[in-house]
Structure formats: structure tokens, C-alpha cells
DNA sequence: CCTACCGATCGGTAGG
DNA sequence: CCTACCGATCGGTAGG
């Protein structure tokens, strides 16, 4: 039905609606397989089979396996970075947004699997996403450090906590909890533990 | 020289000294390659080449790739679990030992790479080390929770911190920091950040 | 988008 | 421990 509607729409618009829909299907399938077995062990044939095309068919949309990887990362990055980069001078408000991301991730197992698998894989200097993750962590840590610095300036950060160390801790807690959450079948209360962690650093209620 | 000495020793003892030495070489090479590219993407041929034998030669020592993986994990597990399982009723003392492990890891990049790569890979239910890591985390979390419970009973844990949540946080911080440390070329001060993290939970000096 | 194919590589076995 | 081999699978290309 959907396919028929899309085909009709394509005829109507004369555009590339089908191609765009197919690309989305491929990106979704690639995200899931990369998350399950990592980039290196994932095969283009398996991804193609999951969307019902041949693997040369897939390569028509993404010229190489590496291009597919970068497209998956680019697409999946938008939400999280936007959330933290949105301008705000309220440190505690920014930390609340971090908690919101954690809560959101609870309902996006595929995304969590993707980043857990790829971040670990990309610590290898020869991995095609090595530079991507190196920069991603640098930016994330800078943004979270800023949130804690603002919190400190507003007098809401506990004494003896340095913004840089607090940021390294928070980012680490989030990554580490995702690992625990994936390993124990979603029983870990990621949101609750992160909230408790941040609350213990502040002198005000969250 | 070493090879010659070993050969001489083998002739003297008539035992399996060479075989044991070869097994150690294989386990070291496997640890390094598993840590670099993960288990699935590592090849027996590459590991064998690094110790100067053929890949059927490697299979003479370890019958399957999976057996090699489990042997690597078994061997590398001893230090850490022993450190935490050693009997002590002093919670703060146990937490100090955790810091010692982090400090030790700073000088064992290969081990850190191994666990970071394999833990993420093993979140997949079909991974041969899935059960191993599931149990490893359960045991580690139980041991660390006990350390915080003892700390609490001794009146050295800050108010409002639950032992179970504190344990999940500490294990998560350690795993997450390893990721940051690997990605930024060892610049992250894992030991300092973990010490600061634990210190902030306690009412006594570390 | 397809079939057909390329050279390379995989884990494991046969047989010594 | 070796050489030689097995069937399976890989990313990518040719040519339509």
C-alpha cells in the first residue's frame, strides 16, 4: 500500500520520492546491523536483503560501505547535538536536557546499540569513523563542561567539583550505563541513575 | 636467545615448556588483535602470523576461534576479580582498591582496548562472549554494591546515596572513561577523575 | 535497480 | 607444527 502510494506520488511529482524513501530504509537497516555486529562485521548483502534489494542495488544509493557508515552517523547525530548546542545560559537547564536525552534513549535501543558498538570500534586508529568519534567526544565534553561552568557561576555547583572533571564523569556515566543497560536487557534505570548522579553534584533541586 | 633457552629447557625437562610459551604468545597476540578490531573482525591467520606460525598451527593450540576468545578472557580476568573479591569488611579500603585498578589500567592499554572492544561487541545476544560479559557485570556490580553498603554502614557514605546506584555509577564511570581515554590518546586522567568521583561520595578522606 | 563476476579472505579440515 | 584444500562470504565492478 505504502509502496503503491509512493509510486503514485512519484508519478505525480515526477521527483525522487521513491529514492529518498529507499535511502531511509537502507539507513535504518544499516543502523540496526551496525548496532548489532558493528561496522566491520556488517555486510552490505545483509543490509540489502533486509530492504529487499541486491547489494549492488544498495551501492547505487551509497557508493561504498564507508559512505553508508558516514551517512548513518550524520543522520543519527542531529537530535543529540542540537539539544546541547541550543543556546542557553542556564547551566542547570542544560543538565536537565541531558537527562531528557537519556530518557529518550530508553526508547531508542537501536540508536544506543549503534553508538555503543561504533564508539568502541572507532577507538581503533584505522577505523573509518575514528576521526568522527574523536571530534564528537571533544565537542560533547566541551558543551557539557560549559554547562557545569555556568552552573558553577550561578552558584549551583557543589564545592570542590571542577566543571571539566564533572563533564568527563557525566559523559562517562552515560556511556557506561548504556553498556550495562544493553547487557542486562534494559533493566538498568539509566534515567534514574543519571538524575541521581547530577543531583548529587548540585546545591539546588533538579 | 630466549627461544634457544626455552628449547634447551624443554629438552632438559622433557616437558611442554615450549608449548606453554607458544600458548602465551598466541594469547598475547590475540588479546592485542581482539582489542584493536574486535573478535568478529579478527582473523586467526593474522594472529598466527604475528607469532610466526600458520593458522592451522594456531588451531593445534586452540581448537576453534571461540576457544581462543574464552582463553583470552579467562586469563585476563584474574587480576581484577581477585582484587575486588579479596575479603575485606572495610568499604573505603575496597573503593581504594578500585582506584588502584584504574591506575594499573593506565599502563595496560592492550587490556583496556580488549575489554572496551569486547564488552560492546558482546552486547549482541549472538556473541560468543555474551554470557561471559553478562555475568561479569552482574558480579562486578554486586561486589561494588557491597563495598558501598559497607561504606554506608561505617557511616562514611554521603546521605541520599544508595549503594546500588553508586555502584552502577562507579562501574559506568570506569567504562566510559576508558572510552574517552582510548579516543584521546591517553590524555584523560582516568585515575584522577575516578578518585574525585569517589571522594565526592564519601564523608571521609580517601 | 538486476545478474554475473572479480580477487581476497574467512574458519576449519585432511593428511601428514 | 606444515601445505593444501574446502565451501562460504566479503566489497566492489562490468554491463546492462
Amino acid at each position: 500500500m505504502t509502496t503503491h502510494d509512493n509510486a503514485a506520488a512519484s508519478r505525480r511529482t515526477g521527483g525522487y520520492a521513491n529514492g529518498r524513501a529507499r535511502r531511509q530504509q537502507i539507513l535504518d537497516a544499516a543502523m540496526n546491523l551496525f548496532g548489532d555486529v558493528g561496522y566491520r562485521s556488517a555486510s552490505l548483502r545483509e543490509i540489502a536483503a533486509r530492504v529487499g534489494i541486491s547489494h549492488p542495488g544498495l551501492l547505487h544509493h551509497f557508493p561504498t560501505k564507508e559512505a553508508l557508515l558516514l551517512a548513518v552517523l550524520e543522520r543519527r547525530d542531529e537530535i543529540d547535538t542540537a539539544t546541547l548546542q541550543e543556546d542557553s545560559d542556564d547551566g542547570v537547564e542544560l543538565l536537565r536536557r541531558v537527562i531528557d536525552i537519556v530518557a529518550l534513549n530508553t526508547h531508542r535501543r537501536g540508536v544506543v546499540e549503534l553508538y555503543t558498538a561504533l564508539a568502541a570500534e572507532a577507538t581503533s586508529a584505522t577505523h573509518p569513523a575514528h576521526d568522527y568519534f574523536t571530534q564528537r567526544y571533544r565537542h560533547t565534553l566541551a558543551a557539557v563542561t560549559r554547562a557545569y561552568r555556568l552552573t558553577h557561576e550561578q552558584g549551583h555547583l557543589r564545592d570542590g567539583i571542577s566543571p571539566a572533571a564533572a563533564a568527563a564523569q557525566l559523559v562517562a556515566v552515560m556511556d557506561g550505563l548504556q553498556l550495562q543497560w544493553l547487557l542486562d536487557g534494559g533493566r538498568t534505570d539509566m534515567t534514574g541513575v543519571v538524575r541521581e548522579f547530577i543531583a548529587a553534584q548540585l546545591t539546588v533541586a533538579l
Side-chain angles (χ1 to χ4, degrees), chain A residues 3-205:
Chain A
T3 303
H4 179 270
D5 290 349
N6 284 346
S10 180
R11 255 177 273 117
R12 250 181 281 117
T13 62
Y16 297 95
N18 283 338
R20 262 182 278 120
R22 184 65 90 188
R23 280 177 62 95
Q24 294 300 323
Q25 289 178 30
I26 294 170
L27 289 173
D28 279 338
M31 179 189 74
N32 285 324
L33 192 61
F34 289 163
D36 194 26
V37 302
Y39 168 74
R40 284 193 243 242
S41 292
S43 79
L44 297 179
R45 280 168 173 84
E46 173 65 24
I47 296 166
R50 291 184 182 194
V51 300
I53 62 176
S54 66
H55 93 274
L58 188 158
L59 288 168
H60 168 75
H61 295 279
F62 301 93
T64 65
K65 190 184 180 187
E66 187 170 333
L68 175 59
L69 170 65
L70 298 179
V72 167
L73 289 173
E74 228 169 81
R75 175 166 171 252
R76 282 295 155 186
D77 213 15
E78 295 155 17
I79 306 170
D80 301 16
T81 54
T83 306
L84 263 171
Q85 243 102 60
E86 259 179 64
D87 274 303
S88 168
D89 287 350
D90 185 342
V92 178
E93 163 63 22
L94 286 167
L95 294 176
R96 272 193 220 104
R97 286 187 200 167
V98 172
I99 297 174
D100 291 341
I101 293 176
V102 176
L104 178 62
N105 284 342
T106 301
H107 306 281
R108 301 190 301 177
R109 188 171 220 272
V111 176
V112 173
E113 287 177 336
L114 180 75
Y115 280 110
T116 299
L118 291 189
E121 208 178 26
T123 58
S124 171
T126 63
H127 194 280
H130 179 74
D131 289 347
Y132 173 88
F133 274 97
T134 301
Q135 289 196 16
R136 186 177 200 266
Y137 272 81
R138 200 162 43 219
H139 291 150
T140 301
L141 285 168
V144 176
T145 299
R146 175 174 173 271
Y148 278 111
R149 200 176 51 239
L150 290 168
T151 304
H152 172 73
E153 288 167 4
Q154 289 158 347
H156 298 149
L157 191 63
R158 244 206 170 79
D159 282 344
I161 296 181
S162 80
Q169 287 173 27
L170 176 54
V171 172
V173 163
M174 291 173 65
D175 285 336
L177 283 177
Q178 290 185 345
L179 204 52
Q180 293 177 38
W181 182 76
L182 290 174
L183 276 172
D184 76 357
R187 269 178 287 276
T188 297
D189 177 15
M190 291 198 290
T191 313
V193 174
V194 168
R195 184 183 285 117
E196 182 171 322
F197 169 77
I198 295 177
Q201 299 175 315
L202 306 183
T203 58
V204 293

